[in-house]
Amino acid sequence: MEAFLRARSPIDLHLHSNVSDGTGSPADVVREAHAAGVRTMSLTDHDTTAGWDEAREECLRLGMTFIPGMEFTSRIEYGSIHILAYLFDPNYAPLVEELKKLQSDRENRLRQMTENVSADYDITWDHVLEQVSASGKSVGRPHLADALVARGIISERSEAFSGILSKDGPYYVSQYALDPLSAVKLIRSAGGVPVMAHPTTKGRVAPMEYIDRLIDAGLGGYEIEHRENMEPGKTILRELCEERGLIITGSSDYHGTGKPNQPGENTTESEMLARIIEQGTGSEPSYPE
Ligand code: AMP
Ligand code: MN
Ligand code: MN
Ligand code: MN
C-alpha cells in the first residue's frame, strides 16, 4: 500500500488556522505542528479551503505530508454537527455553491448576534472585524468572543462560550447549514471522505437508526480520539467502526491560542489514513521529496 508507506507518522488530521477560528496563519499552524513532532497533517478550517495552498507549501518545505481537508458545518434541530471532509474536489460546483451560502450566512448570523450583544455590552461589528485576521475568512462566535476579550468585557475566549455567547443564552442566533445526511452525500459527490468530527462530546451517540442512515449516505468514519469525546460513546463507536468497517481517526482540533488543544495530542494510525487516501478521489495528498 503505497500511501501507507509515504505518509509519515505522527498524523494529525484536524487543525485550524486564522482562515477560520484558529489564531495562527496556515504556515504558522504547520510550523507549530512540525515543532510538536507531527509529520502528516490536514488543515481543516471551517467551511473553507482558503488556507490549503499556504499550508501545503509550508508542509513540503518542512518535509511534511499535506492532506487537503475541511470541517464542514451541518445542522440538526438542536445544534450544529461538524463533519470532517478529506481529499474532496474544492472546485466541485455544488460544493462551491454550498460554501458560499455558509459563508454569507456565517457573516449575517454573527452580525445579528453582535447586534443582540450590543444591547447590553459596548461592542460593535467593527470591533468584531478587528479580530478577523485572514482573507477568505470563515467568521463565527470565536471572533465575537475575541472582540469581547479585546474590549475587556471577558477575560478569555472560552468564557464567552459558557457565558454571553452560550447557545442557551439570550443573544444566540443559530446558523444555516445542510442536514448531516445531505452534507455527507455532498462531500462524497465531491470525491471526498466524510468523517464525523468529535462525535461524542456529550458521551452519548446518535440513535443507531440515524447512524445507519449516515453510513448509507456515505459516512466514512468517526473521529474517536479527540479530547472532547467522552466515554461511553467512544467505546460504542469503536465497536461500531470495527463491525461496520469504518475508519477511525484521532486528531487535536488545534486552534492556536483559541483553545487548549495542542498539535499531535491525538493522532491517526497510518492504516487509517491509507484508507482515507484510497477512498478520496477529489484531490491528492502532497508528499515531500
Ligand atoms: P459557531 O460555529 O460560530 O457557533 O462557534 C463554534 C466554534 O467555536 C467551534 O468551531 C469551536 O471551535 C469554537 N469553540 C466552541 N467552544 C469553544 C470554547 N469553549 N473555547 C474556544 N472556542 C470554542
Ligand atoms: Mn473551531
Ligand atoms: Mn468542530
Ligand atoms: Mn475543529
Side-chain angles (χ1 to χ4, degrees):
M1 202 182 283
E2 193 190 359
F4 172 86
L5 296 170
R6 290 181 74 189
R8 288 164 62 209
S9 293
I11 300 164
D12 187 346
L13 298 179
H14 184 169
L15 301 100
H16 295 269
S17 74
N18 64 6
V19 168
S20 66
D21 57 351
T23 53
S25 69
D28 289 338
V29 174
V30 173
R31 286 190 286 270
E32 286 150 13
H34 183 268
V38 172
R39 290 297 173 265
T40 296
M41 66 163 269
S42 182
L43 186 73
T44 51
D45 279 307
H46 297 281
D47 305 323
T48 177
T49 62
W52 282 9
D53 290 346
E54 183 181 325
R56 180 189 291 111
E57 191 179 323
E58 191 66 5
C59 274
L60 296 180
R61 199 179 70 77
L62 291 172
M64 293 168 68
T65 299
F66 174 74
I67 308 291
M70 184 174 77
E71 187 172 8
F72 190 66
T73 308
S74 70
R75 57 177 289 114
I76 46 176
E77 231 170 282
Y78 46 87
S80 59
I81 301 287
H82 291 172
I83 304 175
L84 293 158
Y86 299 109
L87 298 166
F88 58 90
D89 174 3
N91 299 314
Y92 179 63
L95 181 68
V96 172
E97 277 310 302
E98 177 60 19
L99 293 180
K100 268 189 208 148
K101 269 202 220 169
L102 280 163
Q103 292 308 341
S104 87
D105 193 69
R106 273 178 172 277
E107 181 170 333
N108 291 337
R109 174 261 194 162
L110 199 65
R111 276 178 188 269
Q112 186 60 56
M113 268 189 84
T114 305
E115 202 175 309
N116 294 352
V117 173
S118 74
D120 294 320
Y121 298 93
D122 179 19
I123 189 108
T124 66
W125 180 242
D126 280 341
H127 296 143
V128 176
L129 285 183
E130 281 166 22
Q131 303 304 316
V132 177
S133 42
S135 61
K137 188 85 196 189
S138 238
V139 295
R141 274 186 294 164
H143 304 100
L144 177 47
D146 290 349
L148 292 167
V149 174
R151 307 284 298 155
I153 296 165
I154 54 171
S155 62
E156 57 170 12
R157 194 189 260 193
S158 62
E159 199 182 322
F161 285 87
S162 51
I164 299 175
L165 304 185
S166 154
K167 196 169 157 288
D168 305 317
Y171 311 113
Y172 187 80
V173 178
S174 67
Q175 198 194 297
Y176 156 83
L178 287 176
D179 70 277
L181 295 168
S182 307
V184 162
K185 286 181 194 154
L186 181 59
I187 294 164
R188 279 288 181 194
S189 310
V193 185
V195 173
M196 191 59 70
H198 43 70
T200 182
T201 53
K202 305 272 189 303
R204 299 187 301 266
V205 299
M208 209 43 77
E209 183 263 341
Y210 195 74
I211 290 181
D212 282 333
R213 291 171 67 194
L214 284 168
I215 296 172
D216 287 346
L219 185 69
Y222 281 89
E223 182 188 52
I224 295 181
E225 301 310 322
H226 181 291
R227 69 155 67 203
E228 285 160 42
N229 282 338
M230 287 162 56
E231 299 290 356
K234 285 170 74 168
T235 309
I236 295 168
L237 288 173
R238 261 190 223 107
E239 282 169 14
L240 174 91
C241 286
E242 206 154 299
E243 272 167 27
R244 310 294 289 274
L246 298 173
I247 296 163
I248 292 176
T249 68
S251 296
S252 65
D253 204 359
Y254 181 58
H255 279 71
T257 58
K259 278 190 167 186
N261 313 36
Q262 291 304 308
E265 68 174 28
N266 284 295
T267 56
T268 296
E269 288 172 20
S270 46
E271 292 92 330
M272 294 294 172
L273 175 61
R275 289 170 62 185
I276 292 175
I277 293 171
E278 270 170 13
Q279 291 182 25
T281 57
S283 56
E284 296 283 331
S286 296
Y287 301 99
E289 290 300 309

